[in-house]
């Protein structure tokens, strides 16, 4: 008798999120947001990106830009979807503003150019503030 592997394509993925996240439509995007904020709150995230690349992951400033600008809208429509309120919208918008200033200055920049530019300090400051506020809510179960 031949055994076959079960079809796992229909098995839902289970992740544990804080209880307060049950009201969010896409809590996994919030979890990803917190991870990205923590990453870019680091003065030099290049070692993180290199370590993740060695694990076969795609991790660099391009992924950060895609997440914040291409993949998700962090505006008022995100409230109830992956953000809780307009205060969180404002925090993430400040991160996007800092990243956008960097892109405007260095439109073809890469990891090294962005992270070593003086404008990166504004990215880390805004990301750190957003990370502190949003992750503190997660620690409180929200």
């Amino acid at each position: 008798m031949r055994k076959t592997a079960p079809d796992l394509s229909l098995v839902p993925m289970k992740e544990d999120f804080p209880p307060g996240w049950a009201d969010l439509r896409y809590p996994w995007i919030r979890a990803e947001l917190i991870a990205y904020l923590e990453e870019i709150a680091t003065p030099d995230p290049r070692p993180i990106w290199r370590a993740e690349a060695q694990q076969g992951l795609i991790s660099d400033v391009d992924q950060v830009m895609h997440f914040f600008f291409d993949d998700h809208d962090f505006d008022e429509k995100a409230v109830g979807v992956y953000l809780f309120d307009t205060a969180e919208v404002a925090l993430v918008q400040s991160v996007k503003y800092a990243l956008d200033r960097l892109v405007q200055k260095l439109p073809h920049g890469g990891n090294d150019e962005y992270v070593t530019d003086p404008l990166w300090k504004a990215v880390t400051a805004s990301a750190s503030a957003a990370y502190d506020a949003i992750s503190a809510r997660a620690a409180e179960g929200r």
Side-chain angles (χ1 to χ4, degrees), residues 62 100-110 113-114:
D62 287 339
D100 188 56
R101 286 184 57 217
L102 198 55
V103 171
Q104 295 303 317
K105 181 179 178 184
L106 303 166
H108 302 289
E113 292 83 9
Y114 285 145

Side-chain angles (χ1 to χ4, degrees), residues 15-138:
E15 291 192 42
D16 293 322
F17 300 111
W21 292 18
D23 295 336
L24 296 174
R25 188 174 310 148
Y26 302 131
W28 57 89
I29 295 174
R30 183 179 184 81
E32 193 174 8
L33 170 64
I34 291 170
Y36 272 108
L37 290 172
E38 181 178 31
E39 183 178 293
I40 62 173
T42 305
D44 187 353
R46 291 175 293 181
I48 297 168
W49 296 335
R50 282 192 293 271
E52 289 178 350
Q54 289 176 347
Q55 297 172 14
L57 301 172
I58 300 171
S59 181
D60 58 14
V61 75
D62 287 339
Q63 293 306 308
V64 170
M65 298 301 182
H66 285 300
F67 180 80
F68 282 99
F69 293 102
D70 302 333
D71 300 343
H72 308 290
D73 294 319
F74 292 102
D75 56 18
E76 288 78 17
K77 290 180 246 170
V79 174
V81 180
Y82 37 83
L83 298 176
F84 282 117
D85 53 38
T86 55
E88 290 186 350
V89 171
L91 287 165
V92 177
Q93 287 297 323
S94 70
V95 174
K96 288 182 67 170
Y97 176 76
L99 287 168
D100 188 56
R101 286 184 57 217
L102 198 55
V103 171
Q104 295 303 317
K105 181 179 178 184
L106 303 166
H108 302 289
N111 294 344
D112 294 332
E113 292 83 9
Y114 285 145
V115 173
T116 59
D117 191 87
L119 289 177
W120 185 257
K121 290 178 183 172
V123 172
T124 60
S126 60
S128 182
Y131 173 79
D132 289 347
I134 294 172
S135 65
R137 292 179 102 171

